[in-house]
């Protein structure tokens, strides 16, 4: 009797172990698909492990995961955030592996984000840049640039142990929109600051706009004389 | 006053009853036909009104599609049958019986309108436009969200040019204005509008207010982009009065409750023939209760009280616009324009009394006062041709005001595929400048599939988290069809049977020319 119970217990444990290993397998697989589910801030310490969104269903089972090309695309999400996705051909990686040998495996995968406002970017003349370390399986990333009204370009590359940065991919350039009124005025269509501030407040109605926060000191002090008649509830 | 009417292309010949086709049928019965009835009455009564409406190319295509027309007729006949049963069932419930009769009357009127215009409701709108009182503008071909096509401008050009030629074939003239899907804009692509002969478009308020240089008149006068195309900004004050979920008009306690539909409320066996054949309960459009209050207990709907409320609120809206305009005139020393755009489907479908409200508002503005007047954007530009030149700012009227609704964890995966397909389409257009026969058919179908995959609706639905399976399926399906077409054109191995099959299924824009994708 005792023996039987023990056998049953062993079986249960084995079953459980199997289940766990299956879950782990699935999780590993999904890491490749979902690289960055939580967006990383530029200023935050670099994260090496990427959280995995297990609850999200795999959506691309019918579409290819890659198209066998070297490509990096940068898009604007809002005045402070960008999104980039990329893919690298196996051949391209092999080329770097052959060239860099051991260094390749020791190198860190980096997104280098350049501020390229008002210049023609040649790879060396950016106003400034910052790096984000990413997982080698990542294929897209949200980047907080925190800079409305600026132009941006991103490189995907390798940061070698001696500090050299090797570019593998370069994105297109995008411009983040302003978050408030432009400081540029038009001589012919001049408007005094205080008048424009009033107009700006009126333009945003009673201040409910999700983006009407560009000029708080003025906006809070003005509003259209119109107030909706309070609604009587029956 | 601008009404943006749009539905994605949801035509499914492969199934007799397709849940998503109901989106169209509900909108026809609850929004488009009530609007047509309102416009007819305004014209009959000699009301000199002005109204702007966008009808998206996908919506127009569905309204003119014989299969969907047949299905709508079946749908409305079913509703008439249900209406009769409801009149009978509520015979001893006076609080509901008059409502059952009201719905039955409207179903008959809907069928009548539908047949009167030869089953093609676009004819009705075309007729109103020909009187000069309604201005119909176009929209991107499949409502693609253009700011996320920045790396593939050929697709923006195709979205605009396919829309413009489709509009011309339907209305017999070029469109003067365009509604950008979701008001999505980034600086520069107005130049494509210029190429297509379009004179104006609309943006959300911050698109103008954050433009550079500063717009002297804020959103209360149009501006010109450097391309020479005019741009009008949305007035948020008037928007909020209607849109706001807290204080907006549609939330009035006397208004009809949208979420108490007999499709969900009544006994399953009774309602079974009028819901989805698989037994899924759906909205029938027959709803007997009013909002009542912030409570689950609902009182029966009182149409006369609701009508009084709509009249009162129309008066309130007009009063507010009069005060707003007086204030702005004093301040700006020129006549301001106030742009109030809404989704058309809000009126009648979501906000049952919305069409009545609009009718009251139009009549009150025309007859009861002379401080403000209704105008179309093109009339305004004809009277005031001199306007400031600025570069508007990247913006949308979606959640948070930029691109995040269409670019977030739930939907960002689509752009890798959409952009690649778009590049391949450009490659095909360059490689085959002159073709005919089957290759031409395949290339035209490839552009149809690409455009259908680009509908902003799919990314939007994925972003909201409900109905996502359908949106994912549609995105993939069109992309996979595109890829197969691309590969079969490149390898000169087009399967004609398969091509005919998808031409039949995705039959939007029959006169499309793939060469616009450049």
């Amino acid at each position: 009797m005792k023996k039987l119970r023990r056998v049953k217990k062993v079986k249960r444990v084995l079953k459980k172990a199997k289940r766990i290993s299956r879950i782990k397998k699935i999780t590993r697989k999904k890491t490749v698909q979902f690289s960055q589910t939580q967006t990383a801030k530029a200023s935050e310490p670099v994260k090496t492990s990427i959280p995995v969104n297990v609850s999200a269903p795999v959506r691309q089972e019918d579409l290819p995961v890659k198209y066998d090309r070297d490509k990096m695309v940068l898009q604007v999400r809002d005045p402070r955030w960008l999104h980039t996705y990329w893919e690298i051909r196996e051949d391209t990686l092999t080329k770097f592996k052959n060239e860099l040998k051991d260094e390749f495996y020791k190198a860190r995968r980096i997104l280098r984000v350049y501020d390229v406002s008002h210049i023609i970017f040649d790879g060396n003349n950016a106003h400034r840049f910052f790096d984000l370390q990413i997982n080698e399986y990542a294929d897209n990333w949200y980047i907080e640039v925190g800079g409305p009204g600026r132009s941006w370009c991103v490189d995907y590359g390798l940061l070698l142990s001696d500090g050299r940065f090797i570019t593998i991919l370069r994105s297109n350039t995008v411009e983040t929109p302003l978050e408030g009124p432009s400081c540029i005025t038009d001589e012919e269509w001049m408007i005094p600051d205080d008048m424009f501030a009033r107009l700006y407040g009126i333009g945003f109605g009673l201040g409910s706009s999700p983006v009407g926060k560009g000029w708080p000191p003025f906006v809070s002090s003005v509003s259209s004389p119109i107030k909706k008649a309070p609604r009587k509830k029956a | 006053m601008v009404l943006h009417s749009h539905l994605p292309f949801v035509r499914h010949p492969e199934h007799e009853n397709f849940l998503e086709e109901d989106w169209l049928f509900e909108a026809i019965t609850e929004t488009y036909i009530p609007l047509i009835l309102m416009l007819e009455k305004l014209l009959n009564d000699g009301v000199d009104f002005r109204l702007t409406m966008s009808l998206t190319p996908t919506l127009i295509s569905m309204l003119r599609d014989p299969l969907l027309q047949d299905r709508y007729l079946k749908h409305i006949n079913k509703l008439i049958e249900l209406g009769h049963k409801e009149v009978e069932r509520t015979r001893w419930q006076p609080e509901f019986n008059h409502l059952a009769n009201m719905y039955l009357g409207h179903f008959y009127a809907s069928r009548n309108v539908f047949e009167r215009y030869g089953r093609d409701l676009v004819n009705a709108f075309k007729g109103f436009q020909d009187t000069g009182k309604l201005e119909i503008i176009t929209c991107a071909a499949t409502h693609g969200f253009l700011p996320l096509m920045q790396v593939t401008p050929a697709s923006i050009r195709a979205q605009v040019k396919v829309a413009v030629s489709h509009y011309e074939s339907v209305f017999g003239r070029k469109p003067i204005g365009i509604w950008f899907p979701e008001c999505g804009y980034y600086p520069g692509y107005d130049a494509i509008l210029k190429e297509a002969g379009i004179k104006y478009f609309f943006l959300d308020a911050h698109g103008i207010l954050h433009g550079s240089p500063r717009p002297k008149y804020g959103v209360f006068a149009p501006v010109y982009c450097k391309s020479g195309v005019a741009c009008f900004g949305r007035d948020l004050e008037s928007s909020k009065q209607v849109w706001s979920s807290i204080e907006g008009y549609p939330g009035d306690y006397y208004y009809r409750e949208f979420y108490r539909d007999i499709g969900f409320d009544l006994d399953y066996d009774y309602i079974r023939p009028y819901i989805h054949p698989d037994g899924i309960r759906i909205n029938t459009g027959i709803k007997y209760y009013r909002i009542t209050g912030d409570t689950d207990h609902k009182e029966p709907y009182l149409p006369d009280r609701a009508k009084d409320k709509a009249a009162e609120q129309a008066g309130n809206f007009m009063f507010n616009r009069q005060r707003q305009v007086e204030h702005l005139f004093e301040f700006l020393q020129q006549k301001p324009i106030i742009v109030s755009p809404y989704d058309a489907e809000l009126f009648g479908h979501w906000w049952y009394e919305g069409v009545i409200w609009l009718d009251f508002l139009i009549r009150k503005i025309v007859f009861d006062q002379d401080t403000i007047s209704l105008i179309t954007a093109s009339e305004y530009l004809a009277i005031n041709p001199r306007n400031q030149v600025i570069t508007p700012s990247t913006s949308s009227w979606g959640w948070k005001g930029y691109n995040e609704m269409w670019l977030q964890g739930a939907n960002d995966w689509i752009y890798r595929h959409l952009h690649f397909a778009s590049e391949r389409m450009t490659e095909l257009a360059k490689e085959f400048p002159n073709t005919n026969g089957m290759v031409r058919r395949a290339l035209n179908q490839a552009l149809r599939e690409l455009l259908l995959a680009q509908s902003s609706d799919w990314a939007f639905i994925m972003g909201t988290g409900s109905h996502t399976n359908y949106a994912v399926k549609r995105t993939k399906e069109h992309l996979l069809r595109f890829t197969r077409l691309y590969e079969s054109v490149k390898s000169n191995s087009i399967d004609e049977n398969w091509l005919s099959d998808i031409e039949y299924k995705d039959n939007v824009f029959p006169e499309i020319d793939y060469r616009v994708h450049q």
Side-chain angles (χ1 to χ4, degrees):
Chain A
M1 199 59 200
K2 248 185 178 176
K3 202 179 167 189
L4 192 71
R5 222 178 282 149
R6 210 165 41 234
V7 170
K8 271 190 178 167
K9 199 179 166 190
V10 170
K11 270 188 180 168
R12 258 205 314 274
V13 171
L14 274 175
K15 231 180 177 175
K16 200 176 166 190
K18 249 188 196 168
R19 209 163 47 227
I20 290 169
S21 77
R22 202 162 48 229
I23 290 169
K24 273 190 178 160
K25 250 186 228 158
I26 293 169
T27 317
R28 261 206 307 279
K29 241 193 199 157
K30 291 207 170 172
T31 316
V32 182
Q33 293 271 344
F34 293 92
S35 43
Q36 185 204 15
T37 51
Q38 283 181 353
T39 45
K41 280 187 181 176
S43 52
E44 271 181 1
V46 169
K47 287 180 193 131
T48 44
S49 70
I50 306 296
V52 172
N53 186 354
V54 188
S55 64
V58 179
R59 296 190 181 87
Q60 287 150 282
E61 65 265 15
D62 305 322
L63 294 169
V65 177
K66 284 177 155 197
Y67 289 101
D68 192 31
R69 60 189 194 146
D70 293 322
K71 184 80 184 176
M72 187 170 204
V73 168
L74 186 61
Q75 310 201 89
V76 172
R77 194 189 81 177
D78 57 46
R80 292 174 175 272
W81 287 82
L82 307 175
H83 177 250
T84 175
Y85 70 81
W86 61 88
E87 73 164 272
I88 310 166
R89 294 178 66 226
E90 275 310 312
D91 283 1
T92 308
L93 281 181
T94 310
K95 203 184 82 193
F96 283 102
K97 277 177 199 165
N98 292 340
E99 251 171 52
L100 298 166
K101 308 239 160 38
D102 272 4
E103 278 294 316
F104 179 90
Y105 298 97
K106 280 191 265 169
R108 291 189 290 166
R109 304 282 172 111
I110 294 288
L111 293 181
R112 181 158 285 188
V113 185
Y114 303 97
D115 178 343
V116 297
S117 310
H118 317 295
I119 55 166
I120 297 164
F121 183 48
D122 63 6
N124 297 307
N125 59 343
H127 300 294
R128 61 190 179 96
F129 67 81
F130 59 86
D131 287 349
L132 296 167
Q133 184 172 334
I134 54 165
N135 185 305
E136 70 174 292
Y137 300 113
D139 63 2
N140 76 99
W141 209 265
Y142 288 91
I143 303 166
E144 184 176 17
V145 289
R150 312 281 306 168
S151 299
W152 307 91
C153 179
V154 177
D155 274 1
Y156 177 97
L158 301 169
L159 190 62
L160 306 185
S161 51
D162 62 6
R164 270 186 302 150
F165 179 72
I166 314 275
T167 298
I168 301 177
L169 300 171
R170 175 159 294 163
S171 77
N172 54 305
T173 298
V174 296
E175 191 181 336
T176 41
L178 291 175
E179 246 180 345
S182 167
C183 54
I184 299 167
T185 50
D186 184 329
E187 260 181 50
E188 197 190 342
W189 301 81
M190 194 60 83
I191 178 168
D193 275 6
D194 57 333
M195 292 246 312
F196 187 75
R198 281 178 70 192
L199 197 56
Y200 187 80
I202 301 167
F204 282 122
L206 304 174
S208 72
S209 163
V211 288
K213 290 171 191 140
W215 215 336
F218 292 99
V219 173
S220 58
S221 65
V222 293
S223 77
S224 162
I226 297 145
K227 293 269 185 273
K228 206 164 84 75
R231 194 178 69 208
K232 285 186 205 106
K233 298 210 164 167
Chain B
M1 204 81 190
V2 185
L3 300 182
H4 170 52
S5 330
H6 165 64
L7 281 176
F9 196 68
V10 286
R11 175 183 178 273
H12 291 279
E14 67 273 24
H15 293 290
E16 184 59 31
N17 289 283
F18 212 91
L19 222 49
E20 282 73 15
E21 283 182 1
D22 285 341
W23 298 348
L24 174 69
F25 303 150
E26 283 173 22
I28 290 178
T29 313
E30 295 166 14
T31 295
Y32 309 140
I33 286 180
L35 282 174
I36 289 170
L37 288 167
M38 176 193 88
L39 292 168
E40 278 180 346
K41 267 176 63 198
L42 288 171
L43 286 172
N44 283 340
D45 296 348
V47 183
D48 189 22
F49 68 93
R50 292 292 181 279
L51 183 66
T52 303
M53 260 182 101
S54 66
L55 292 175
T56 62
T58 47
L59 175 61
I60 290 175
S61 302
M62 290 193 292
L63 290 174
R64 293 167 68 93
D65 183 80
L67 175 81
L68 290 173
Q69 289 168 352
D70 278 350
R71 287 185 177 177
Y72 179 70
L73 197 62
K74 273 185 204 148
H75 173 90
I76 194 72
N77 280 334
K78 271 255 167 176
L79 281 181
I80 288 172
E81 190 186 296
L82 176 61
H84 278 293
K85 282 195 184 171
E86 278 301 282
V87 170
E88 189 52 36
R89 188 184 66 82
T90 57
R91 201 175 186 173
W92 309 108
Q93 295 171 286
E95 71 276 30
F96 298 132
N97 188 253
H98 69 109
L99 296 172
N101 273 305
M102 175 185 86
Y103 286 116
L104 180 60
H106 178 64
F107 296 150
Y108 272 116
S110 300
R111 191 172 69 184
N112 175 276
V113 169
F114 187 66
E115 287 180 331
R116 205 148 40 79
Y117 287 100
R119 298 183 175 194
D120 180 356
L121 297 179
V122 180
N123 274 334
F125 292 108
K126 183 173 184 289
F128 302 138
Q129 166 150 283
D130 293 342
T131 66
K133 294 183 171 42
L134 176 71
E135 187 155 295
I136 301 173
I137 59 175
T138 190
C139 187
T142 59
H143 213 260
F145 188 66
L146 308 182
L148 296 176
M149 294 183 198
Q150 196 171 356
V151 288
T152 55
S155 280
I156 298 178
R157 187 169 287 112
Q159 284 275 353
V160 171
K161 290 201 167 166
V162 169
V164 168
S165 51
H166 184 254
Y167 183 102
E168 260 186 290
S169 71
V170 173
F171 296 106
R173 50 178 260 198
K174 274 183 176 284
I176 312 170
I178 191 168
W179 178 264
F180 277 150
E182 309 292 358
C183 286
Y185 176 80
Y186 75 82
Y189 70 60
D190 42 273
I192 294 172
L193 302 185
K194 177 88 176 171
E195 280 172 42
I198 287 174
K199 302 274 190 291
Y200 69 83
F201 62 97
F202 297 96
L203 285 188
D204 202 353
H206 56 298
I208 301 274
L209 290 171
H210 298 171
S212 186
R214 272 182 209 169
K216 181 174 181 181
Y217 298 110
V219 292
F220 304 108
V223 294
Y224 288 119
C225 302
K226 290 199 175 104
S227 60
V229 179
C231 170
F232 291 79
R234 170 160 84 129
D235 169 53
L236 292 187
E237 190 165 293
S238 56
S239 277
K240 218 179 105 181
Q241 284 192 291
V242 174
W243 272 130
S244 166
S245 57
I246 306 149
E247 56 200 286
Y249 297 142
D252 193 283
Y253 291 167
Y254 274 101
Y255 284 160
R256 194 189 71 169
E257 172 64 59
F258 180 83
Y259 293 101
R260 285 295 300 274
D261 191 288
I262 64 163
F264 292 91
D265 281 357
L266 290 187
D267 182 59
Y268 186 70
D269 289 331
Y270 171 82
I271 204 71
R272 177 86 208 245
Y274 307 99
I275 57 175
H276 192 264
D278 292 347
I280 305 163
R281 285 181 178 269
I282 53 169
N283 284 318
T284 61
I286 300 180
K287 302 163 204 274
Y288 291 135
Y289 295 94
R290 58 187 163 99
I291 295 173
T292 312
D294 197 8
T295 156
D296 284 339
H297 170 76
K298 301 291 174 191
E299 294 288 330
Y301 181 57
L302 304 168
D304 290 341
R305 282 304 298 272
K307 198 174 171 185
D308 290 346
K309 277 285 176 182
E312 190 186 304
Q313 290 180 344
N316 173 274
F317 186 89
M318 183 178 76
F319 172 81
N320 284 341
R321 295 294 77 69
Q322 288 171 313
R323 298 295 83 76
Q324 187 181 14
V325 161
E326 283 164 1
H327 176 70
L328 286 167
F329 182 68
E330 189 187 328
F331 179 46
L332 300 172
Q333 295 298 310
Q334 78 159 25
K335 286 183 184 175
I337 181 163
I338 297 187
V339 178
S340 305
Y342 306 99
D343 277 334
E345 293 76 19
L346 171 71
F347 295 84
H349 176 63
W350 294 104
W351 178 19
Y352 184 61
E353 298 77 8
V355 180
I356 303 170
W357 174 85
L358 187 60
D359 188 41
F360 277 125
L361 178 65
I362 289 172
R363 287 169 193 266
K364 277 176 195 286
I365 291 176
V366 174
F367 295 119
D368 293 358
Q369 55 85 49
D370 48 19
T371 311
I372 57 174
S373 62
L374 294 162
I375 195 165
T376 61
S378 60
E379 279 178 326
Y380 184 92
L381 287 172
I383 301 167
N384 307 282
R386 196 173 169 275
N387 294 292
Q388 190 181 358
V389 177
I390 74 164
T391 303
S393 180
T394 294
S395 52
S396 83
W397 79 344
W399 178 58
K400 294 191 183 176
Y402 298 96
N403 303 340
E404 192 173 348
M405 188 67 221
W406 301 272
L407 183 63
Q408 51 174 299
N411 52 26
D412 54 21
W413 59 272
I414 66 176
Y415 298 102
R416 176 187 306 274
H417 306 287
L418 289 174
H419 293 156
F420 187 54
S422 176
E423 283 169 33
R424 282 177 150 181
M425 190 68 234
T426 306
E427 177 196 328
L428 290 174
K430 279 191 183 138
E431 200 175 322
F432 299 91
N434 291 300
T435 52
N436 45 44
M438 211 153 55
V439 178
R440 191 188 180 88
R441 275 172 57 195
L443 290 168
N444 284 337
Q445 191 60 28
L447 182 55
R448 284 186 198 107
E449 300 297 340
L450 174 62
L451 293 175
L452 287 170
Q454 287 170 340
S455 294
S456 69
D457 308 86
W458 314 142
F460 181 87
I461 293 170
M462 289 175 213
T464 60
S466 63
H467 251 89
T468 49
N469 284 346
Y470 180 72
V472 171
K473 185 175 152 270
R474 288 294 302 272
T475 304
K476 282 186 188 171
E477 204 169 71
H478 296 301
L479 281 166
L480 289 167
R481 285 176 188 163
F482 172 85
T483 305
R484 190 168 158 191
L485 286 161
Y486 169 85
E487 283 165 356
S488 55
V489 168
K490 293 289 270 189
S491 61
N492 198 16
S493 59
I494 303 163
D495 174 349
E496 192 178 2
N497 286 335
W498 176 72
L499 175 59
S500 303
D501 183 49
I502 56 167
E503 279 174 338
Y504 169 69
K505 279 181 183 151
D506 297 331
N507 69 346
V508 72
F509 314 134
E511 286 151 31
I512 202 166
D513 181 349
Y514 67 93
R515 287 170 299 187
V516 297
H517 198 282
Q518 300 213 31

